[in-house]
Amino acid sequence: MGISTGSTVLLCVALAAGPVAPSQAAPVPSHSGSRIAASGASYDPPLRAQPPKPSVTRLTPQNGPTTGGTDVVIKGHDLSGVKRVLFGATRATDVRVKSARKLVVRTPAQKAGLVRVRVVTDHGSSKQSGATHFTYVTPTPSLTRVSPAAGPTAGSTRVTLTGTDLTGATSVRFGSAAASSVVVASPTTIIATTPAHAVGMVDVSVATGGGSASLDEGFTYTPAPTLSFVDPGSGPLVSTPVTLVGTALTANALVTFGGVPATVLSASPGATELTVATPDHAAGFVDVAVSTVGGSTALVKGYLFVEGTTLTSVAPTAGPSLGGATVTLTGSGFTGETLVTFGNKPSLAVFPNLAGTQLTALLPSHVAGAVDVSVATEGGSATLPGGFTYVDAPTLTTVTPTTGPTGGGTSLTLTGTVFRAGMQVRFGGVLATGVTVVSATQATAVAPAHAAGAVDVSVTTPGGTATLTGGYTYVAAPSLTAVSPNEGPATGGQSVTLTGTNFQAGMQVRFGATLATLVSVHPSGTLATVTTPAHAPGLVGVTVTTPGGSATFTGAYTYVVAPILNTVSPNVGPIGGGTTVTLTGTDFRAGMQVLFGVTPAALVSVDPLGTSATVTTPAHAAGVVDVSVTTPGGTSTSANAFTYLAAPSLTAVSPNEGPTTGAQTVTLTGTGFRAGMQVGFGGVAATGLNVVSTTQATVVTPAHPAGVVDVSVTTPGGSGSLPGGYTYVVAPTLTSLSPSEGPTTGGQTVTLTGTNFRAGMQVTFGGAAASGLNIISTTQATVVTPVRGAGAVDVVVSTPGGTGTLNNGYTYVAAPNLIAVNPDLGPTAGGTMVTLTGTGLTGTSAITFDGVPATNVTV
């Protein structure tokens, strides 16, 4: 078709319904319009390109539950860069970008219905189309259980329905009838109340917004039972089978007679009969009630408990053939005239009780053996076949042994005749136990407890009683309260006294398991003397056994090993005693006796091992004694083990004074001196002891401060002291002499200066003793020099305190000898220098010429 120039042309294009694929249609840019050229061609101005919006072409699946959680695949275009995906107005919680053309998202929860699905990116939102719709649907419920599964046709049974997706249930039906109450407890549980319905099984259904679920024959409507009669309509007071007739009488029914449950025995196939065992009940009419799942029914006064003549028991079931015993019969209907027979013999007297359920009858005589027992009344009769046995009376000839303890427990053998199982044996009227009938002529029994003394023994059977007068004697059991002494040697042989009660001659006494020798038993039975047997060391029980029993005193006696004494230390001590002495050995023990000679020592302690003990010696005369140790296990003696010594005495010390530095040998005189004794000067021990005899010794004095001190001597026998027996003196000193020189001929009086001068001191000049000592004070004295050769000598002063020396303290000078004077003449005016020649001129102090001193003297 041609288009003329300058004409306006309208182009119409028909488009198929549905979206156009990007490959089929070019994008149309946004613009304000187009202008058509005069030639008829259109002209579009240039436009800026816009990013494409997302589009959705398909959802898979297109529906899901209102609970959400369905994974939906979204296909389309330009889906990358997705910001959110909306289901209606609700945002999906899980968006997974697979590609620009595929997303996987998880649906959010939403109400049921159709919603639009939109994909939103930075470039916009996808448009609505048929492919963007998603339908939320409610899930279909399921039903698995109804409990209870049966109930009455009247309804009103509360039941629990169990299943899944039950939330939002709109109805519950039992068959075609709706439940009267529906409570959704959880998505899996509904509580509903059944409606009334005809008998039979019905389907149970639940409807929710998601659909419905049904449990085929899920509930059974059960008809209520009916009760027409009970056959028979009466019966005894004790349990008896009866039949209930009616309808819907099932085996699981609860049946009561007068409110007391009966026992269901069986049910008929058509549920029209029910056999039950009636309960025990008092006489009279009672209601009979039946309850089943379908309901309850009752037959008022439907059953009568009646009393008849019955015989259920006879007690005792055996008795003497001579008759005369009272027998009790139990049953029912014992009223009015009553006849009781044993075998073919009637009872001589019958005494029924008021209730008619029990009577007593006097037993007629009859030959031994079992007989029928019969009761006849106006209401009928009853027989208990072989219900009673006639028995001949027993005899009792011996009981062995004939004695036993009052506490009983002795096994005995009885001999006699007509013994039988169940027979009773009595000792002094007390029933024995453990009765065993070995044969018709022998039985065993255990004696019961009884007071001491002889008692009768009787055996009783249904046939009667046989008694052996004084046939058994009860003996009181002994008691053991004391064992004295309660310890002794393991070798045995110790005489021990036992104290207790009920001791008897011939009784046995054991120490541990070993038999002791019984020496005597006091007539009172409270004391006994035995000799102990040998036994291993240790604690043992003592047991006394008589026909009355045994008494054991646990741990009553201790066997002890004899001690051994090895050493005594120290082995000497004073006659006054009081010395602490250590004994060593074995098996020492607390309380043991220690003798020095024949005198007991005081025991101080014993070590736990028994190998050492400490004692204090007793006083004793001087001399050597034995030491002995005695325990319950025996005695050990060490001969001549200890020496008693008299205390020493000290009468003289010579010399009796000396230097404070000690080291002076002095002689002691006294008594009781012995090697090893100690000597003290003012409490300080001397050394160098040399005991010459028991009366004399020498020692070396110790150092001590100046002064008078006591001197003591100490031996194991004690101490002796000489008060003020020795004086310590300080050594003198010599500091100067005046004059300090003199003639070799001696005879010069010299003054000494120093310290600690005292009368009697000695002074020597070069070893030669001075004379004429005169003590002026403790610091000054004069002496006369002895003859001595010329030269300087030491001067020594000596006292008991020591010596003081002044080295070269005095010089002996020889007398001068003048041989020549040269010149030997000169002017009277003097002044002449003269030389004198001679000997001993050294130290010349003065030269005179006719008594006139010369001057300018030069030696």
Side-chain angles (χ1 to χ4, degrees):
M1 177 176 66
I3 300 177
S4 60
T5 302
S7 301
T8 299
V9 179
L10 175 63
L11 297 178
C12 296
V13 179
L15 298 177
V20 178
S23 60
Q24 297 172 337
V28 180
S30 175
H31 56 81
S32 58
S34 299
R35 287 182 293 174
I36 305 299
S39 61
S42 62
Y43 169 75
D44 293 323
L47 298 176
R48 185 176 58 186
Q50 295 293 324
K53 295 181 179 180
S55 64
V56 176
T57 59
R58 184 178 180 187
L59 301 180
T60 305
Q62 289 186 309
N63 55 63
T66 56
T67 54
T70 301
D71 283 343
V72 176
V73 178
I74 300 177
K75 291 186 178 180
H77 302 282
D78 302 310
L79 301 179
S80 59
V82 61
K83 295 177 66 178
R84 59 185 178 275
V85 176
L86 301 175
F87 281 72
T90 306
R91 188 171 183 170
T93 58
D94 184 9
V95 178
R96 287 158 281 170
V97 179
K98 299 297 184 180
S99 68
R101 302 185 65 180
K102 181 178 179 181
L103 302 177
V104 178
V105 299
R106 185 160 295 166
T107 61
Q110 190 84 274
K111 292 181 180 180
L114 189 67
V115 297
R116 178 189 174 194
V117 179
R118 289 185 297 149
V119 177
V120 180
T121 69
D122 289 334
H123 309 304
S125 173
S126 61
K127 295 182 179 181
Q128 182 176 359
S129 70
T132 61
H133 292 153
F134 186 85
T135 303
Y136 277 95
V137 295
T138 303
T140 303
S142 69
L143 188 60
T144 57
R145 184 184 177 197
V146 178
S147 178
T153 56
S156 298
T157 301
R158 184 180 175 85
V159 297
T160 299
L161 284 68
T162 304
T164 60
D165 298 310
L166 302 179
T167 303
T170 56
S171 70
V172 174
R173 291 185 173 275
F174 287 75
S176 60
S180 59
S181 172
V182 177
V183 176
V184 179
S186 71
T188 60
T189 305
I190 293 176
I191 309 299
T193 302
T194 61
H197 198 283
V199 172
M201 290 187 291
V202 297
D203 298 340
V204 180
S205 61
V206 176
T208 69
S212 63
S214 179
L215 190 62
D216 293 345
E217 297 181 349
F219 190 82
T220 302
Y221 279 95
T222 304
T226 64
L227 187 57
S228 302
F229 59 90
V230 179
D231 184 25
S234 62
L237 307 182
V238 296
S239 179
T240 187
V242 296
T243 300
L244 281 65
V245 179
T247 62
L249 301 177
T250 57
N252 61 357
L254 173 64
V255 180
T256 60
F257 283 69
V260 181
T263 301
V264 176
L265 302 177
S266 64
S268 66
T272 58
E273 291 185 356
L274 199 61
T275 301
V276 302
T278 63
D280 294 346
H281 201 282
F285 281 103
V286 296
D287 296 342
V288 181
V290 178
S291 295
T292 68
V293 175
S296 301
T297 186
L299 194 60
V300 178
K301 293 185 178 181
Y303 188 80
L304 175 62
F305 284 96
V306 296
E307 295 179 289
T309 301
T310 62
L311 179 58
T312 56
S313 66
V314 176
T317 58
S321 56
L322 296 176
T326 299
V327 178
T328 299
L329 285 68
T330 301
S332 62
F334 299 163
T335 57
E337 293 292 331
T338 304
L339 175 63
V340 177
T341 58
F342 289 79
N344 57 0
K345 289 191 173 184
S347 172
L348 302 178
V350 176
F351 306 96
N353 66 359
L354 293 177
T357 59
Q358 197 174 74
L359 58 80
T360 57
L362 195 61
L363 189 67
S365 61
H366 200 282
V367 295
V371 296
D372 297 341
V373 181
S374 299
V375 178
T377 68
E378 295 177 352
S381 63
T383 298
L384 200 57
F388 190 83
T389 301
Y390 279 94
V391 181
D392 289 333
T395 65
L396 178 60
T397 55
T398 64
V399 176
T400 306
T402 58
T403 60
T406 56
T410 303
S411 293
L412 306 170
T413 299
L414 290 74
T415 60
T417 61
V418 198
F419 291 173
R420 60 178 284 153
M423 77 175 185
Q424 293 180 333
V425 179
R426 286 180 169 81
F427 287 73
V430 182
L431 202 63
T433 58
V435 177
T436 301
V437 176
V438 180
S439 67
T441 60
Q442 191 178 74
T444 60
V446 177
H450 196 282
V455 296
D456 297 341
V457 182
S458 63
V459 293
T460 301
T461 71
T465 298
T467 301
L468 189 60
T469 304
Y472 187 77
T473 301
Y474 278 96
V475 180
S479 68
L480 180 58
T481 56
V483 177
S484 179
N486 61 0
E487 52 188 3
T491 55
Q494 184 180 38
S495 180
V496 172
T497 299
L498 310 180
T499 303
T501 59
N502 301 315
F503 292 169
Q504 290 189 4
M507 70 181 185
Q508 290 182 335
V509 179
R510 282 183 167 80
F511 282 66
T514 308
L515 200 64
T517 302
L518 181 64
V519 177
S520 63
V521 176
H522 192 273
S524 65
T526 60
L527 293 173
T529 303
V530 297
T531 301
T532 61
H535 197 282
L539 199 65
V540 298
V542 179
T543 302
V544 175
T545 302
T546 71
S550 295
T552 299
F553 194 157
T554 304
Y557 189 82
T558 302
Y559 278 97
V560 182
V561 175
I564 296 174
L565 176 59
N566 293 328
T567 65
V568 178
S569 179
N571 61 0
V572 293
I575 59 177
T579 301
T580 298
V581 174
T582 298
L583 311 178
T584 62
T586 59
D587 297 298
F588 293 169
R589 57 184 288 154
M592 70 181 185
Q593 185 183 57
V594 180
L595 298 179
F596 281 67
V598 294
T599 308
L603 181 64
V604 177
S605 65
V606 177
D607 82 330
L609 297 178
T611 59
S612 175
T614 303
V615 299
T616 302
T617 60
H620 198 281
V624 179
V625 296
D626 297 342
V627 179
S628 63
V629 175
T630 300
T631 72
T635 299
S636 175
T637 300
S638 180
N640 300 323
F642 192 83
T643 301
Y644 277 96
L645 300 176
S649 68
L650 180 61
T651 56
V653 178
S654 180
N656 62 358
E657 56 183 2
T660 57
T661 55
Q664 182 181 38
T665 298
V666 298
T667 298
L668 309 178
T669 303
T671 61
F673 291 175
R674 62 179 283 143
M677 74 178 183
Q678 294 178 337
V679 180
F681 284 72
V684 181
T687 59
L689 174 68
N690 177 30
V691 177
V692 179
S693 68
T694 60
T695 61
Q696 193 176 71
T698 62
V699 294
V700 177
T701 61
H704 196 283
V708 178
V709 297
D710 298 340
V711 182
S712 63
V713 291
T714 301
T715 70
S719 296
S721 178
L722 185 60
Y726 189 80
T727 301
Y728 277 94
V729 181
V730 178
T733 65
L734 181 60
T735 56
S736 66
L737 281 77
S738 180
S740 61
E741 58 185 3
T744 56
T745 56
Q748 184 181 36
T749 297
V750 175
T751 298
L752 310 177
T753 302
T755 62
N756 300 311
F757 292 172
R758 58 179 288 167
M761 78 176 181
Q762 295 177 341
V763 182
T764 62
F765 284 72
S771 60
L773 175 67
N774 179 28
I775 301 297
I776 299 171
S777 68
T778 59
T779 61
Q780 197 172 68
T782 61
V783 295
V784 178
T785 61
V787 176
R788 190 75 166 79
V793 298
D794 295 341
V795 180
V796 179
V797 293
S798 298
T799 71
T803 61
T805 300
L806 187 61
N807 295 325
N808 298 321
Y810 188 81
T811 303
Y812 277 94
V813 180
N817 181 26
L818 185 59
I819 300 173
V821 176
N822 184 28
D824 57 0
L825 56 87
T828 58
T832 301
M833 182 64 67
V834 177
T835 299
L836 284 73
T837 303
T839 60
L841 302 182
T842 302
T844 298
S845 58
I847 299 175
T848 62
F849 284 74
D850 197 19
V852 179
T855 60
N856 298 322
V857 179
T858 302
V859 178

Short mmCIF file of all heavy atoms in Angstrom, two decimals, residues 396-404 410-415 427 442-447 457 468 471-472:
data_model
loop_
_atom_site.label_atom_id
_atom_site.label_comp_id
_atom_site.label_asym_id
_atom_site.label_seq_id
_atom_site.Cartn_x
_atom_site.Cartn_y
_atom_site.Cartn_z
N LEU A 396 4.37 -93.43 127.33
CA LEU A 396 5.70 -92.83 127.32
C LEU A 396 6.53 -93.57 128.37
O LEU A 396 6.18 -93.60 129.56
CB LEU A 396 5.64 -91.33 127.66
CG LEU A 396 6.98 -90.59 127.74
CD1 LEU A 396 7.73 -90.66 126.40
CD2 LEU A 396 6.75 -89.13 128.14
N THR A 397 7.66 -94.17 127.93
CA THR A 397 8.46 -94.99 128.86
C THR A 397 9.80 -94.34 129.22
O THR A 397 10.24 -94.44 130.36
CB THR A 397 8.71 -96.37 128.25
OG1 THR A 397 9.32 -96.21 126.95
CG2 THR A 397 7.42 -97.14 128.10
N THR A 398 10.49 -93.70 128.29
CA THR A 398 11.79 -93.10 128.61
C THR A 398 11.97 -91.76 127.89
O THR A 398 11.38 -91.50 126.82
CB THR A 398 12.96 -94.01 128.20
OG1 THR A 398 12.96 -94.17 126.77
CG2 THR A 398 12.89 -95.36 128.87
N VAL A 399 12.83 -90.92 128.50
CA VAL A 399 13.28 -89.67 127.90
C VAL A 399 14.80 -89.65 128.03
O VAL A 399 15.34 -89.83 129.13
CB VAL A 399 12.68 -88.43 128.59
CG1 VAL A 399 13.26 -87.16 128.00
CG2 VAL A 399 11.17 -88.45 128.49
N THR A 400 15.53 -89.44 126.92
CA THR A 400 17.00 -89.45 126.93
C THR A 400 17.52 -88.22 126.19
O THR A 400 17.09 -87.97 125.05
CB THR A 400 17.54 -90.70 126.23
OG1 THR A 400 16.96 -91.86 126.83
CG2 THR A 400 19.05 -90.78 126.35
N PRO A 401 18.44 -87.45 126.80
CA PRO A 401 18.97 -87.56 128.16
C PRO A 401 17.94 -87.10 129.17
O PRO A 401 16.90 -86.52 128.80
CB PRO A 401 20.19 -86.63 128.13
CG PRO A 401 19.84 -85.59 127.13
CD PRO A 401 19.08 -86.31 126.07
N THR A 402 18.24 -87.31 130.45
CA THR A 402 17.26 -86.99 131.49
C THR A 402 17.48 -85.61 132.10
O THR A 402 16.71 -85.19 132.96
CB THR A 402 17.33 -88.04 132.60
OG1 THR A 402 18.66 -88.07 133.14
CG2 THR A 402 16.97 -89.43 132.07
N THR A 403 18.55 -84.92 131.72
CA THR A 403 18.81 -83.58 132.25
C THR A 403 19.17 -82.64 131.11
O THR A 403 19.61 -83.07 130.03
CB THR A 403 19.97 -83.59 133.27
OG1 THR A 403 21.16 -84.06 132.62
CG2 THR A 403 19.66 -84.46 134.47
N GLY A 404 19.01 -81.34 131.39
CA GLY A 404 19.33 -80.34 130.39
C GLY A 404 19.20 -78.94 130.95
O GLY A 404 18.70 -78.75 132.06
N THR A 410 17.74 -78.60 124.30
CA THR A 410 18.37 -79.93 124.28
C THR A 410 17.56 -80.87 123.39
O THR A 410 16.32 -80.94 123.50
CB THR A 410 18.44 -80.51 125.71
OG1 THR A 410 19.16 -79.60 126.54
CG2 THR A 410 19.12 -81.87 125.70
N SER A 411 18.24 -81.58 122.50
CA SER A 411 17.57 -82.56 121.65
C SER A 411 17.37 -83.85 122.44
O SER A 411 18.34 -84.39 122.99
CB SER A 411 18.39 -82.83 120.39
OG SER A 411 18.43 -81.68 119.58
N LEU A 412 16.13 -84.34 122.49
CA LEU A 412 15.78 -85.49 123.32
C LEU A 412 15.17 -86.60 122.46
O LEU A 412 14.54 -86.34 121.43
CB LEU A 412 14.77 -85.08 124.40
CG LEU A 412 15.17 -83.89 125.29
CD1 LEU A 412 14.00 -83.45 126.13
CD2 LEU A 412 16.33 -84.28 126.17
N THR A 413 15.33 -87.82 122.94
CA THR A 413 14.69 -88.98 122.30
C THR A 413 13.67 -89.56 123.27
O THR A 413 13.98 -89.83 124.43
CB THR A 413 15.73 -90.05 121.93
OG1 THR A 413 16.67 -89.47 121.01
CG2 THR A 413 15.05 -91.26 121.30
N LEU A 414 12.42 -89.73 122.79
CA LEU A 414 11.33 -90.28 123.61
C LEU A 414 10.97 -91.66 123.05
O LEU A 414 10.89 -91.84 121.82
CB LEU A 414 10.10 -89.37 123.57
CG LEU A 414 10.21 -88.01 124.28
CD1 LEU A 414 11.08 -87.03 123.50
CD2 LEU A 414 8.81 -87.40 124.46
N THR A 415 10.74 -92.62 123.94
CA THR A 415 10.28 -93.94 123.52
C THR A 415 8.97 -94.24 124.21
O THR A 415 8.70 -93.80 125.34
CB THR A 415 11.31 -95.02 123.87
OG1 THR A 415 11.53 -95.03 125.28
CG2 THR A 415 12.63 -94.77 123.17
N PHE A 427 7.01 -80.42 128.59
CA PHE A 427 7.93 -80.56 129.70
C PHE A 427 7.47 -79.62 130.80
O PHE A 427 7.53 -78.39 130.63
CB PHE A 427 9.36 -80.22 129.27
CG PHE A 427 10.00 -81.26 128.40
CD1 PHE A 427 9.59 -81.43 127.08
CD2 PHE A 427 11.00 -82.08 128.90
CE1 PHE A 427 10.17 -82.38 126.27
CE2 PHE A 427 11.58 -83.05 128.09
CZ PHE A 427 11.17 -83.21 126.78
N GLN A 442 8.95 -94.25 118.73
CA GLN A 442 10.07 -93.35 118.99
C GLN A 442 9.81 -91.97 118.35
O GLN A 442 9.26 -91.88 117.25
CB GLN A 442 11.38 -93.93 118.44
CG GLN A 442 12.62 -93.16 118.90
CD GLN A 442 13.90 -93.78 118.40
OE1 GLN A 442 14.22 -93.66 117.22
NE2 GLN A 442 14.60 -94.48 119.28
N ALA A 443 10.24 -90.94 119.08
CA ALA A 443 10.10 -89.58 118.58
C ALA A 443 11.25 -88.75 119.15
O ALA A 443 11.86 -89.10 120.16
CB ALA A 443 8.76 -88.98 118.99
N THR A 444 11.56 -87.64 118.49
CA THR A 444 12.56 -86.69 119.00
C THR A 444 11.88 -85.36 119.21
O THR A 444 10.89 -85.02 118.55
CB THR A 444 13.73 -86.52 118.03
OG1 THR A 444 13.23 -86.03 116.78
CG2 THR A 444 14.46 -87.84 117.82
N ALA A 445 12.41 -84.59 120.18
CA ALA A 445 11.86 -83.27 120.48
C ALA A 445 12.97 -82.40 121.04
O ALA A 445 14.00 -82.90 121.50
CB ALA A 445 10.71 -83.38 121.48
N VAL A 446 12.75 -81.08 121.00
CA VAL A 446 13.69 -80.12 121.57
C VAL A 446 13.06 -79.56 122.84
O VAL A 446 11.95 -79.02 122.81
CB VAL A 446 14.00 -78.99 120.58
CG1 VAL A 446 14.92 -77.95 121.24
CG2 VAL A 446 14.63 -79.56 119.31
N ALA A 447 13.77 -79.72 123.97
CA ALA A 447 13.22 -79.27 125.25
C ALA A 447 13.01 -77.77 125.26
O ALA A 447 13.87 -77.02 124.80
CB ALA A 447 14.16 -79.68 126.38
N VAL A 457 7.11 -85.20 131.97
CA VAL A 457 7.13 -85.14 130.51
C VAL A 457 5.89 -85.87 130.01
O VAL A 457 5.61 -87.00 130.44
CB VAL A 457 8.40 -85.79 129.94
CG1 VAL A 457 8.42 -85.68 128.42
CG2 VAL A 457 9.65 -85.15 130.55
N LEU A 468 5.27 -89.14 131.96
CA LEU A 468 6.37 -89.75 132.67
C LEU A 468 6.72 -88.79 133.81
O LEU A 468 7.31 -87.74 133.59
CB LEU A 468 7.58 -89.95 131.74
CG LEU A 468 8.75 -90.76 132.30
CD1 LEU A 468 8.30 -92.18 132.67
CD2 LEU A 468 9.88 -90.82 131.28
N GLY A 471 10.22 -87.04 134.69
CA GLY A 471 11.02 -87.69 133.65
C GLY A 471 12.20 -86.86 133.17
O GLY A 471 13.06 -87.38 132.44
N TYR A 472 12.28 -85.59 133.52
CA TYR A 472 13.36 -84.74 133.01
C TYR A 472 13.70 -83.70 134.07
O TYR A 472 12.79 -83.17 134.74
CB TYR A 472 12.93 -84.05 131.72
CG TYR A 472 14.01 -83.29 131.01
CD1 TYR A 472 14.97 -83.94 130.26
CD2 TYR A 472 14.07 -81.90 131.07
CE1 TYR A 472 15.97 -83.24 129.59
CE2 TYR A 472 15.04 -81.19 130.41
CZ TYR A 472 16.00 -81.86 129.67
OH TYR A 472 16.98 -81.16 129.00
#
